[in-house]
Amino acid sequence: MAKRIRIFDTTLRDGEQSPGCSMNLSEKCEVARQLARLGVDVIEAGFAIASPGDFEAISEIAKIVKGCQVASLARSVQKDIDAAYNAVKHAEAPLIHIFIATSPIHMQYKLRMTPEQVLERAVEATKYAKSLCSEVEFSCEDATRSELPFLAQVVQKVIEAGATVINIPDTVGYTTPAEMTERIKYLRENVPDVDKVHLSVHCHNDLGMAVANSLAAVAAGATQVEGTINGIGERAGNAALEEVIMALHTRKNFFNATCNVDTTQIYRTSRLISNIIGQPIPPNKAIVGANAFAHESGIHQHGVLAERSTYEIMTPQSIGLLTNKMVLGKHSGRHAVEERLKELGYTLSKEELDSLFEKFKKLADQKKNISDSDLEALADDRQVEKPGVYKLERYVVNCGKAMTATAVIGLEKDGVVTEGVAAGTGPVDAAYKAIESIVGPDFTLTHYAIQSVSEGEDSLGEVVVRLKRGDHVATGRGLSTDIIESSLLAYINGVNKLLQQA
Ligand code: KIV
Ligand code: ZN
């Protein structure tokens, strides 16, 4: 019988803690709801002790998410474990995830502890976590550079202390698939109680082998894989879960394994995260890249037309990509727009739909055909206008060769329009400086990206910015057929989000 592999998602912890990937509370909750729809077994919602914001997000996610375990990370110390437990305790299925490093290099230089002290601390921490919560995962940090006999000893002792999941992280992305196979086999043969727990792996991608190492571990007997959507995470990231899931799905017979995920939610999940953190997905990215199901070469197209399986090992539908592209236009009614959005996986509130439909009509005046990509972009950009925020009222931006770019921007807030004027090194720089002269200087632009949403000259230009204000960060998005307007809207959107967070 095919074995069941648990999928442990750490997008909101290992993913979110990496540079440029931070999310605010409502974004984290939206991601968690989508991960539950995807059907992951565990959502690691954060590291409770790390900050009050992390604690609040984990508690909120624990309360709203149903159908999967909600975990918080904790070091092997009492105050971390208390914080983790207090954050997850209201979940339907809480899990405390504790860790300590077991490699000689980490024990000597980072922890300054002997192996005996590490073992004792690991056992103590597991017992303490178990006294609070029945589900405890124990991770041996830097496991792939740990000595095998010591690793096996720690694993056996923490199982005896009550751990229900044992995780073997490749913390620095150093191992290879063959070594991972050996390590998992060794643990299966040398830890007497190994069959009483789920055996997990958590691979980083420094050498580009995170997914291969995770799958090698599954083939060797691991029963849980940890990773993140789109592979986001520390340094080169974590194992991309959409790749792990689709490898298990497509090569079911080879792995003799299945997982409980609804693969048709993969595309939506990947897109949601990319939009929230403002990191576009490279076109050639496996599974979710724009070209993953595109056949350009004549020979391939010919083969696919004759028989899809010649060049297609999985269908676009299996990841939730709709292929019957419906084109909407200015004569399309609200109902048609709402229905198509539902087919694309969006459920909007009445207010969100009202505001989206208004933007849809405006766009339909500018371009003849509104594609699924346009509609998805409008839905991802949905915002209900709130009082006390800035709105773009008018703008003039001038630029050209051998002249200084200048901008005059009018922003409306609470019925009052304020004008800002500035010069800059280019049109966007001038426009942003003019906005800054109105909203104040404490917003720092840390990231700016522009891409076209669909094909053709009248394509929508989507701008995503990241702004920082003190300790807060926000992603701003702007959408227009005019890229200067998209740039302005994105910046204003980011400023509004930061003002609302304050
Ligand atoms: O990479 C790692 O070792 C981790 C652990 C805390 C599980 O993220
Ligand atoms: Zn990690």
Side-chain angles (χ1 to χ4, degrees), residues 401-415:
K401 195 172 157 83
M403 64 178 282
T404 306
T406 54
V408 184
I409 312 283
L411 297 187
E412 188 253 359
K413 187 181 171 197
D414 297 329

Side-chain angles (χ1 to χ4, degrees), residues 10 13-14 17 44 73 97 99 137 139-143 167 169-172 202 204 226 235 238:
T10 184
R13 198 277 296 170
D14 219 331
Q17 78 189 36
E44 184 164 54
L73 186 66
H97 177 192
F99 73 99
E137 170 164 328
S139 284
C140 305
E141 193 189 9
D142 206 18
N167 185 34
D170 184 22
T171 304
V172 290
H202 171 116
H204 280 267
E226 302 193 358
R235 308 180 307 278
N238 288 60

